[in-house]
Amino acid sequence: MKITSLGIFAIPIIAICSASAFPANATTALDLLDHNAREVLKRATPAAPHFVVYADSYDPSTTGPPAASAIKGFNVFALSFLLIEGAWDKAYEWTTFTDAQRTTIKSQYASAGIKLVVSVFGSTDVPTSTNADPVATANTMAAWVKKYQLDGIDVDYEDFNAFDAGDGKAEAWLISFTKQLRTQLPQGTYLLTHAPVAPWFSPTQWGGGGYLKVHSSVGSLIDWYNIQFYNQGTSEYTTCANLLTTSSSTWPQTAVFQISANGVPLEKIVIGKPATASDASNGFMSTSTLASCLQQAKNKGWTGGAMVWELNSIEHSTTMKTAFAVFAGLLSLVGICGYPLEPHTHNMSETAVKFISDAKAAVPAAPHFVIYSDAPVSGETGPPPVSQIQGFNVFALSFLLTNGAFDKAQEWTTLSNSQRTTIKSQYAAAGIKLIVSVFGSTDAPTTNGADPVATANTMAAWVKKYQLDGVDVDYEVSIFLKISVSGRSLVGIFYNSAENPTPAGNLSLDTCSYNLPSASKPTQRDRLNTQLIAASGVPLSKLVIGKPALTSDASEGFMSTSTLASCVSQAKAKGWSAGVMVWEFPDAAASWIKAVRSQAFPE
């Protein structure tokens, strides 16, 4: 969404805002207050109306919040999102500033009458379903708000499975979380808002009581609700009538004045809408229609304000063609196909560009001996001691997904900076690169419409944040290839093929055969032969042969270490020298790679 689109709120602001509540000589009284008292007043809860804008998407022209002049008319800007595992996207960008930079921005926003808050959870986190402790989570997030000098916190809780269960656990979690937030972020000093979807206010749909239960328990602690009147059905909340006075039978009693009639003060109901039709699956209103609805609501005594998702909306690519076009561009950026890095011909962040440049400058020579680790290992958090993987030179923590780090990648985030530095130093001394593998069999980024550039930026920032040597792209669509940025090598996955066993003389994923079939047209499986891949333009030095450590580590394609060692030796004799990958530790360790390397690459 272009900044000019934010004219959406010009009419409502003029119609709703009244003259200042303070007399002209109020500064005389303020002069009597000390610095701490003034700081409290700066953060004190503003009176309605509230005009709230969220920002989550990557904007190549802006790091962190935009200039206050760019969002004139709004009075709350929400950096999104702070997750259970840490800050992401705009919230993370805020952490990259110095204290002095944050102080300057905060001062500019305060002068413009704009509060700066962080939004937590969003659609990514499901804290109740994942058994996150509400009190501990509140303490951690409140501490983050204080550390990074923000005016408050917005609770965008979207754990739909927990709410749909109707057992009251979602409501109880929210109540405990909100109480503890208020303990840490006192009312009148910090803002605390919630951003529920409108249907959750229905008095008849939720076994646990829904948001009316939350409001009756802790509503006095919540400054207002940024209610999402969108993504709830194609015809839901799309007219002034079903937005304001009478909702449909699908979500009964969830229009603005119906929610108020059930106990929520009108001044706490902020009407949330998407900025463009592409910012939500449904519920969009034109600016003129929304302005008319807000005027009607004001005439009936409502003054809550309006919320919009989101600033700088980006239309994501959803077709395979577009996604792969951008994906191919990213490959050229990292030098996979031999193209130079051109920082000014793409819209990747400076962080992502620097990461790729550093990775290209630190490429180890072949052969590459790569081992993955995904499964938990008893008594071990993060990567193993180097002695257990001697003979490998790349260790891949698995996996970083589009919705955050899991398994070994997540374990890495739980270590302190000093612990990570110590481990990295030990690995470097042993000549082992430590990287993260992304996606795996869990994520389907193209199918799910994930924006490839934004995803690359986010994952590159994660690599930098957690001090790793690179990233491995384990993109799994049928039989494909892994891409290792740190090693600039392609890692062939020569196992788990869905094809039937091939006839004698054809390429098989469990023999060393390099023969072509007698048929005139090679099959898809034949094209996965290492020599044929190389003949298609991929250098042999970039083809790392991947195998499972045990038969139980893959559905097929297993080779004994002696057979694989023989194949590796044969390949080396034909000019190949890329190396070997194995899935996974601890089924494979130092003894496994020693056996595989014994003929061609003895230590």
Side-chain angles (χ1 to χ4, degrees), residues 535-580:
S536 298
V538 180
L540 279 172
S541 59
K542 289 188 175 183
L543 287 174
V544 175
I545 297 172
K547 283 291 181 180
L550 302 174
T551 55
S552 58
D553 286 318
S555 57
E556 57 183 328
F558 170 76
M559 279 183 169
S560 67
T561 54
S562 58
T563 301
L564 181 56
S566 176
C567 294
V568 168
S569 181
Q570 292 178 45
K572 186 183 180 189
K574 294 176 180 286
W576 167 91
S577 62
V580 176

mmCIF file of all heavy atoms in Angstrom, residues 535-580:
data_model
loop_
_atom_site.group_PDB
_atom_site.id
_atom_site.type_symbol
_atom_site.label_atom_id
_atom_site.label_comp_id
_atom_site.label_asym_id
_atom_site.label_seq_id
_atom_site.Cartn_x
_atom_site.Cartn_y
_atom_site.Cartn_z
ATOM 1 N N ALA A 535 26.172 -32.801 -16.730
ATOM 2 C CA ALA A 535 26.113 -32.569 -18.173
ATOM 3 C C ALA A 535 25.075 -31.519 -18.532
ATOM 4 O O ALA A 535 25.133 -30.901 -19.595
ATOM 5 C CB ALA A 535 25.799 -33.878 -18.895
ATOM 6 N N SER A 536 24.111 -31.303 -17.629
ATOM 7 C CA SER A 536 23.073 -30.295 -17.868
ATOM 8 C C SER A 536 23.517 -28.902 -17.451
ATOM 9 O O SER A 536 22.733 -27.958 -17.515
ATOM 10 C CB SER A 536 21.799 -30.681 -17.110
ATOM 11 O OG SER A 536 21.299 -31.918 -17.584
ATOM 12 N N GLY A 537 24.759 -28.769 -16.990
ATOM 13 C CA GLY A 537 25.291 -27.443 -16.710
ATOM 14 C C GLY A 537 25.687 -27.168 -15.282
ATOM 15 O O GLY A 537 26.211 -26.099 -14.988
ATOM 16 N N VAL A 538 25.432 -28.099 -14.360
ATOM 17 C CA VAL A 538 25.810 -27.892 -12.968
ATOM 18 C C VAL A 538 27.205 -28.469 -12.751
ATOM 19 O O VAL A 538 27.427 -29.656 -12.984
ATOM 20 C CB VAL A 538 24.813 -28.567 -12.009
ATOM 21 C CG1 VAL A 538 25.229 -28.323 -10.564
ATOM 22 C CG2 VAL A 538 23.407 -28.049 -12.256
ATOM 23 N N PRO A 539 28.164 -27.668 -12.298
ATOM 24 C CA PRO A 539 29.530 -28.171 -12.116
ATOM 25 C C PRO A 539 29.582 -29.349 -11.147
ATOM 26 O O PRO A 539 28.889 -29.362 -10.123
ATOM 27 C CB PRO A 539 30.270 -26.957 -11.542
ATOM 28 C CG PRO A 539 29.468 -25.779 -11.978
ATOM 29 C CD PRO A 539 28.048 -26.239 -11.983
ATOM 30 N N LEU A 540 30.408 -30.339 -11.459
ATOM 31 C CA LEU A 540 30.574 -31.486 -10.571
ATOM 32 C C LEU A 540 31.017 -31.060 -9.176
ATOM 33 O O LEU A 540 30.670 -31.693 -8.178
ATOM 34 C CB LEU A 540 31.603 -32.460 -11.159
ATOM 35 C CG LEU A 540 31.099 -33.421 -12.244
ATOM 36 C CD1 LEU A 540 32.273 -34.179 -12.850
ATOM 37 C CD2 LEU A 540 30.079 -34.402 -11.668
ATOM 38 N N SER A 541 31.764 -29.973 -9.100
ATOM 39 C CA SER A 541 32.270 -29.504 -7.810
ATOM 40 C C SER A 541 31.166 -28.988 -6.898
ATOM 41 O O SER A 541 31.394 -28.749 -5.715
ATOM 42 C CB SER A 541 33.301 -28.397 -8.024
ATOM 43 O OG SER A 541 32.712 -27.309 -8.727
ATOM 44 N N LYS A 542 29.955 -28.812 -7.461
ATOM 45 C CA LYS A 542 28.834 -28.322 -6.658
ATOM 46 C C LYS A 542 27.819 -29.414 -6.324
ATOM 47 O O LYS A 542 26.817 -29.135 -5.663
ATOM 48 C CB LYS A 542 28.121 -27.179 -7.386
ATOM 49 C CG LYS A 542 28.923 -25.884 -7.429
ATOM 50 C CD LYS A 542 28.099 -24.737 -7.975
ATOM 51 C CE LYS A 542 28.876 -23.422 -7.889
ATOM 52 N NZ LYS A 542 28.071 -22.276 -8.344
ATOM 53 N N LEU A 543 28.055 -30.620 -6.765
ATOM 54 C CA LEU A 543 27.095 -31.696 -6.546
ATOM 55 C C LEU A 543 27.513 -32.561 -5.359
ATOM 56 O O LEU A 543 28.312 -33.491 -5.493
ATOM 57 C CB LEU A 543 26.965 -32.558 -7.802
ATOM 58 C CG LEU A 543 26.202 -31.921 -8.965
ATOM 59 C CD1 LEU A 543 26.283 -32.812 -10.196
ATOM 60 C CD2 LEU A 543 24.749 -31.691 -8.586
ATOM 61 N N VAL A 544 26.976 -32.246 -4.205
ATOM 62 C CA VAL A 544 27.242 -33.019 -2.996
ATOM 63 C C VAL A 544 26.212 -34.145 -2.921
ATOM 64 O O VAL A 544 25.008 -33.905 -3.010
ATOM 65 C CB VAL A 544 27.175 -32.123 -1.750
ATOM 66 C CG1 VAL A 544 27.338 -32.948 -0.483
ATOM 67 C CG2 VAL A 544 28.244 -31.036 -1.824
ATOM 68 N N ILE A 545 26.667 -35.359 -2.764
ATOM 69 C CA ILE A 545 25.788 -36.531 -2.775
ATOM 70 C C ILE A 545 25.198 -36.749 -1.386
ATOM 71 O O ILE A 545 25.929 -36.945 -0.408
ATOM 72 C CB ILE A 545 26.561 -37.784 -3.220
ATOM 73 C CG1 ILE A 545 27.067 -37.606 -4.656
ATOM 74 C CG2 ILE A 545 25.687 -39.028 -3.104
ATOM 75 C CD1 ILE A 545 28.002 -38.710 -5.119
ATOM 76 N N GLY A 546 23.868 -36.723 -1.302
ATOM 77 C CA GLY A 546 23.199 -36.881 -0.023
ATOM 78 C C GLY A 546 22.609 -38.260 0.168
ATOM 79 O O GLY A 546 21.993 -38.819 -0.746
ATOM 80 N N LYS A 547 22.783 -38.823 1.357
ATOM 81 C CA LYS A 547 22.279 -40.151 1.679
ATOM 82 C C LYS A 547 21.787 -40.205 3.128
ATOM 83 O O LYS A 547 22.248 -39.438 3.979
ATOM 84 C CB LYS A 547 23.382 -41.203 1.482
ATOM 85 C CG LYS A 547 23.640 -41.569 0.020
ATOM 86 C CD LYS A 547 22.454 -42.327 -0.554
ATOM 87 C CE LYS A 547 22.675 -42.743 -1.998
ATOM 88 N NZ LYS A 547 21.500 -43.488 -2.519
ATOM 89 N N PRO A 548 20.860 -41.139 3.428
ATOM 90 C CA PRO A 548 20.440 -41.328 4.822
ATOM 91 C C PRO A 548 21.471 -42.155 5.580
ATOM 92 O O PRO A 548 22.147 -43.017 5.010
ATOM 93 C CB PRO A 548 19.118 -42.083 4.682
ATOM 94 C CG PRO A 548 19.268 -42.866 3.411
ATOM 95 C CD PRO A 548 20.083 -41.990 2.495
ATOM 96 N N ALA A 549 21.568 -41.909 6.883
ATOM 97 C CA ALA A 549 22.526 -42.651 7.701
ATOM 98 C C ALA A 549 22.090 -44.099 7.903
ATOM 99 O O ALA A 549 22.913 -45.018 7.895
ATOM 100 C CB ALA A 549 22.693 -41.965 9.049
ATOM 101 N N LEU A 550 20.784 -44.307 8.081
ATOM 102 C CA LEU A 550 20.232 -45.637 8.314
ATOM 103 C C LEU A 550 19.041 -45.866 7.389
ATOM 104 O O LEU A 550 18.484 -44.915 6.834
ATOM 105 C CB LEU A 550 19.766 -45.779 9.769
ATOM 106 C CG LEU A 550 20.794 -45.550 10.881
ATOM 107 C CD1 LEU A 550 20.096 -45.591 12.234
ATOM 108 C CD2 LEU A 550 21.906 -46.589 10.813
ATOM 109 N N THR A 551 18.626 -47.098 7.256
ATOM 110 C CA THR A 551 17.424 -47.379 6.463
ATOM 111 C C THR A 551 16.207 -46.701 7.073
ATOM 112 O O THR A 551 15.272 -46.323 6.362
ATOM 113 C CB THR A 551 17.174 -48.896 6.384
ATOM 114 O OG1 THR A 551 17.121 -49.429 7.716
ATOM 115 C CG2 THR A 551 18.286 -49.592 5.612
ATOM 116 N N SER A 552 16.211 -46.510 8.385
ATOM 117 C CA SER A 552 15.077 -45.877 9.062
ATOM 118 C C SER A 552 15.059 -44.361 8.891
ATOM 119 O O SER A 552 14.084 -43.706 9.257
ATOM 120 C CB SER A 552 15.098 -46.212 10.555
ATOM 121 O OG SER A 552 16.311 -45.787 11.154
ATOM 122 N N ASP A 553 16.119 -43.797 8.328
ATOM 123 C CA ASP A 553 16.181 -42.346 8.138
ATOM 124 C C ASP A 553 15.586 -41.895 6.810
ATOM 125 O O ASP A 553 15.551 -40.695 6.519
ATOM 126 C CB ASP A 553 17.637 -41.863 8.224
ATOM 127 C CG ASP A 553 18.159 -41.859 9.649
ATOM 128 O OD1 ASP A 553 17.401 -41.435 10.541
ATOM 129 O OD2 ASP A 553 19.296 -42.300 9.872
ATOM 130 N N ALA A 554 15.153 -42.831 5.973
ATOM 131 C CA ALA A 554 14.538 -42.488 4.691
ATOM 132 C C ALA A 554 13.682 -43.662 4.246
ATOM 133 O O ALA A 554 13.851 -44.795 4.716
ATOM 134 C CB ALA A 554 15.607 -42.185 3.644
ATOM 135 N N SER A 555 12.764 -43.398 3.334
ATOM 136 C CA SER A 555 11.904 -44.474 2.845
ATOM 137 C C SER A 555 12.648 -45.383 1.880
ATOM 138 O O SER A 555 12.321 -46.559 1.734
ATOM 139 C CB SER A 555 10.660 -43.892 2.177
ATOM 140 O OG SER A 555 11.021 -43.023 1.122
ATOM 141 N N GLU A 556 13.651 -44.855 1.194
ATOM 142 C CA GLU A 556 14.472 -45.656 0.292
ATOM 143 C C GLU A 556 15.743 -44.894 -0.044
ATOM 144 O O GLU A 556 15.914 -43.735 0.339
ATOM 145 C CB GLU A 556 13.705 -45.987 -0.988
ATOM 146 C CG GLU A 556 13.214 -44.756 -1.737
ATOM 147 C CD GLU A 556 12.393 -45.124 -2.961
ATOM 148 O OE1 GLU A 556 12.670 -46.160 -3.566
ATOM 149 O OE2 GLU A 556 11.483 -44.361 -3.299
ATOM 150 N N GLY A 557 16.649 -45.535 -0.769
ATOM 151 C CA GLY A 557 17.877 -44.879 -1.193
ATOM 152 C C GLY A 557 19.061 -45.118 -0.284
ATOM 153 O O GLY A 557 20.141 -44.570 -0.515
ATOM 154 N N PHE A 558 18.881 -45.938 0.777
ATOM 155 C CA PHE A 558 19.979 -46.193 1.704
ATOM 156 C C PHE A 558 21.109 -46.966 1.026
ATOM 157 O O PHE A 558 20.885 -47.834 0.187
ATOM 158 C CB PHE A 558 19.474 -46.989 2.907
ATOM 159 C CG PHE A 558 20.568 -47.499 3.805
ATOM 160 C CD1 PHE A 558 21.219 -46.644 4.677
ATOM 161 C CD2 PHE A 558 20.968 -48.833 3.753
ATOM 162 C CE1 PHE A 558 22.238 -47.105 5.505
ATOM 163 C CE2 PHE A 558 21.980 -49.308 4.577
ATOM 164 C CZ PHE A 558 22.616 -48.438 5.454
ATOM 165 N N MET A 559 22.338 -46.620 1.394
ATOM 166 C CA MET A 559 23.532 -47.371 1.002
ATOM 167 C C MET A 559 24.356 -47.650 2.246
ATOM 168 O O MET A 559 24.452 -46.788 3.130
ATOM 169 C CB MET A 559 24.398 -46.567 0.030
ATOM 170 C CG MET A 559 23.983 -46.585 -1.415
ATOM 171 S SD MET A 559 25.199 -45.657 -2.404
ATOM 172 C CE MET A 559 24.687 -46.103 -4.060
ATOM 173 N N SER A 560 24.958 -48.797 2.310
ATOM 174 C CA SER A 560 25.893 -49.057 3.396
ATOM 175 C C SER A 560 27.087 -48.130 3.230
ATOM 176 O O SER A 560 27.355 -47.617 2.134
ATOM 177 C CB SER A 560 26.355 -50.512 3.364
ATOM 178 O OG SER A 560 27.144 -50.748 2.204
ATOM 179 N N THR A 561 27.815 -47.900 4.299
ATOM 180 C CA THR A 561 28.977 -47.006 4.207
ATOM 181 C C THR A 561 30.022 -47.556 3.242
ATOM 182 O O THR A 561 30.675 -46.792 2.525
ATOM 183 C CB THR A 561 29.603 -46.798 5.594
ATOM 184 O OG1 THR A 561 29.894 -48.071 6.180
ATOM 185 C CG2 THR A 561 28.676 -46.014 6.503
ATOM 186 N N SER A 562 30.159 -48.883 3.176
ATOM 187 C CA SER A 562 31.153 -49.459 2.266
ATOM 188 C C SER A 562 30.753 -49.258 0.808
ATOM 189 O O SER A 562 31.594 -48.927 -0.040
ATOM 190 C CB SER A 562 31.348 -50.951 2.564
ATOM 191 O OG SER A 562 30.117 -51.652 2.440
ATOM 192 N N THR A 563 29.451 -49.447 0.501
ATOM 193 C CA THR A 563 28.985 -49.227 -0.871
ATOM 194 C C THR A 563 29.103 -47.758 -1.253
ATOM 195 O O THR A 563 29.566 -47.413 -2.344
ATOM 196 C CB THR A 563 27.521 -49.680 -1.030
ATOM 197 O OG1 THR A 563 27.424 -51.064 -0.709
ATOM 198 C CG2 THR A 563 27.027 -49.454 -2.452
ATOM 199 N N LEU A 564 28.685 -46.880 -0.349
ATOM 200 C CA LEU A 564 28.767 -45.448 -0.635
ATOM 201 C C LEU A 564 30.218 -45.019 -0.812
ATOM 202 O O LEU A 564 30.537 -44.217 -1.702
ATOM 203 C CB LEU A 564 28.101 -44.652 0.491
ATOM 204 C CG LEU A 564 28.080 -43.131 0.332
ATOM 205 C CD1 LEU A 564 27.430 -42.710 -0.987
ATOM 206 C CD2 LEU A 564 27.354 -42.469 1.507
ATOM 207 N N ALA A 565 31.110 -45.558 0.005
ATOM 208 C CA ALA A 565 32.531 -45.227 -0.128
ATOM 209 C C ALA A 565 33.049 -45.628 -1.502
ATOM 210 O O ALA A 565 33.834 -44.905 -2.131
ATOM 211 C CB ALA A 565 33.335 -45.920 0.966
ATOM 212 N N SER A 566 32.587 -46.780 -1.996
ATOM 213 C CA SER A 566 32.994 -47.234 -3.322
ATOM 214 C C SER A 566 32.464 -46.299 -4.404
ATOM 215 O O SER A 566 33.181 -45.942 -5.344
ATOM 216 C CB SER A 566 32.481 -48.659 -3.554
ATOM 217 O OG SER A 566 32.774 -49.089 -4.873
ATOM 218 N N CYS A 567 31.191 -45.882 -4.267
ATOM 219 C CA CYS A 567 30.599 -44.958 -5.248
ATOM 220 C C CYS A 567 31.344 -43.627 -5.254
ATOM 221 O O CYS A 567 31.619 -43.047 -6.309
ATOM 222 C CB CYS A 567 29.131 -44.709 -4.920
ATOM 223 S SG CYS A 567 28.063 -46.146 -5.094
ATOM 224 N N VAL A 568 31.645 -43.130 -4.066
ATOM 225 C CA VAL A 568 32.360 -41.861 -3.948
ATOM 226 C C VAL A 568 33.728 -41.964 -4.613
ATOM 227 O O VAL A 568 34.177 -41.045 -5.316
ATOM 228 C CB VAL A 568 32.485 -41.468 -2.457
ATOM 229 C CG1 VAL A 568 33.475 -40.326 -2.270
ATOM 230 C CG2 VAL A 568 31.115 -41.075 -1.901
ATOM 231 N N SER A 569 34.382 -43.100 -4.430
ATOM 232 C CA SER A 569 35.692 -43.307 -5.045
ATOM 233 C C SER A 569 35.580 -43.334 -6.568
ATOM 234 O O SER A 569 36.402 -42.734 -7.279
ATOM 235 C CB SER A 569 36.295 -44.616 -4.532
ATOM 236 O OG SER A 569 37.566 -44.834 -5.101
ATOM 237 N N GLN A 570 34.538 -44.024 -7.087
ATOM 238 C CA GLN A 570 34.327 -44.073 -8.536
ATOM 239 C C GLN A 570 34.050 -42.674 -9.096
ATOM 240 O O GLN A 570 34.551 -42.302 -10.158
ATOM 241 C CB GLN A 570 33.149 -44.992 -8.860
ATOM 242 C CG GLN A 570 33.390 -46.464 -8.582
ATOM 243 C CD GLN A 570 32.156 -47.303 -8.876
ATOM 244 O OE1 GLN A 570 31.516 -47.121 -9.916
ATOM 245 N NE2 GLN A 570 31.826 -48.218 -7.972
ATOM 246 N N ALA A 571 33.239 -41.910 -8.363
ATOM 247 C CA ALA A 571 32.909 -40.563 -8.819
ATOM 248 C C ALA A 571 34.151 -39.682 -8.851
ATOM 249 O O ALA A 571 34.364 -38.907 -9.790
ATOM 250 C CB ALA A 571 31.850 -39.949 -7.903
ATOM 251 N N LYS A 572 34.982 -39.808 -7.838
ATOM 252 C CA LYS A 572 36.196 -39.002 -7.794
ATOM 253 C C LYS A 572 37.104 -39.333 -8.975
ATOM 254 O O LYS A 572 37.743 -38.451 -9.562
ATOM 255 C CB LYS A 572 36.936 -39.226 -6.477
ATOM 256 C CG LYS A 572 38.137 -38.287 -6.323
ATOM 257 C CD LYS A 572 38.906 -38.555 -5.052
ATOM 258 C CE LYS A 572 40.095 -37.604 -4.947
ATOM 259 N NZ LYS A 572 41.007 -37.956 -3.844
ATOM 260 N N ALA A 573 37.141 -40.608 -9.339
ATOM 261 C CA ALA A 573 37.968 -41.024 -10.469
ATOM 262 C C ALA A 573 37.481 -40.420 -11.780
ATOM 263 O O ALA A 573 38.245 -40.300 -12.744
ATOM 264 C CB ALA A 573 37.977 -42.552 -10.560
ATOM 265 N N LYS A 574 36.198 -40.015 -11.824
ATOM 266 C CA LYS A 574 35.624 -39.410 -13.029
ATOM 267 C C LYS A 574 35.669 -37.881 -12.980
ATOM 268 O O LYS A 574 35.062 -37.211 -13.805
ATOM 269 C CB LYS A 574 34.179 -39.877 -13.205
ATOM 270 C CG LYS A 574 34.032 -41.366 -13.488
ATOM 271 C CD LYS A 574 32.558 -41.753 -13.537
ATOM 272 C CE LYS A 574 32.388 -43.246 -13.818
ATOM 273 N NZ LYS A 574 32.679 -43.574 -15.229
ATOM 274 N N GLY A 575 36.336 -37.315 -11.958
ATOM 275 C CA GLY A 575 36.503 -35.869 -11.892
ATOM 276 C C GLY A 575 35.637 -35.157 -10.880
ATOM 277 O O GLY A 575 35.707 -33.936 -10.731
ATOM 278 N N TRP A 576 34.809 -35.907 -10.163
ATOM 279 C CA TRP A 576 33.928 -35.314 -9.150
ATOM 280 C C TRP A 576 34.679 -35.166 -7.835
ATOM 281 O O TRP A 576 35.496 -36.019 -7.471
ATOM 282 C CB TRP A 576 32.710 -36.217 -8.974
ATOM 283 C CG TRP A 576 31.850 -35.931 -7.765
ATOM 284 C CD1 TRP A 576 30.774 -35.108 -7.707
ATOM 285 C CD2 TRP A 576 31.989 -36.493 -6.461
ATOM 286 N NE1 TRP A 576 30.226 -35.113 -6.450
ATOM 287 C CE2 TRP A 576 30.971 -35.962 -5.655
ATOM 288 C CE3 TRP A 576 32.896 -37.394 -5.887
ATOM 289 C CZ2 TRP A 576 30.809 -36.294 -4.319
ATOM 290 C CZ3 TRP A 576 32.744 -37.732 -4.546
ATOM 291 C CH2 TRP A 576 31.706 -37.182 -3.777
ATOM 292 N N SER A 577 34.392 -34.089 -7.077
ATOM 293 C CA SER A 577 35.087 -33.906 -5.800
ATOM 294 C C SER A 577 34.255 -33.119 -4.793
ATOM 295 O O SER A 577 34.784 -32.562 -3.842
ATOM 296 C CB SER A 577 36.415 -33.164 -6.023
ATOM 297 O OG SER A 577 36.160 -31.870 -6.562
ATOM 298 N N ALA A 578 32.929 -33.067 -5.001
ATOM 299 C CA ALA A 578 32.085 -32.155 -4.218
ATOM 300 C C ALA A 578 31.936 -32.550 -2.761
ATOM 301 O O ALA A 578 31.958 -31.705 -1.871
ATOM 302 C CB ALA A 578 30.711 -32.031 -4.864
ATOM 303 N N GLY A 579 31.725 -33.843 -2.479
ATOM 304 C CA GLY A 579 31.559 -34.261 -1.098
ATOM 305 C C GLY A 579 30.277 -35.038 -0.871
ATOM 306 O O GLY A 579 29.574 -35.421 -1.810
ATOM 307 N N VAL A 580 29.953 -35.237 0.414
ATOM 308 C CA VAL A 580 28.833 -36.096 0.802
ATOM 309 C C VAL A 580 28.025 -35.419 1.901
ATOM 310 O O VAL A 580 28.578 -34.758 2.783
ATOM 311 C CB VAL A 580 29.349 -37.466 1.305
ATOM 312 C CG1 VAL A 580 28.199 -38.331 1.811
ATOM 313 C CG2 VAL A 580 30.102 -38.190 0.195
#
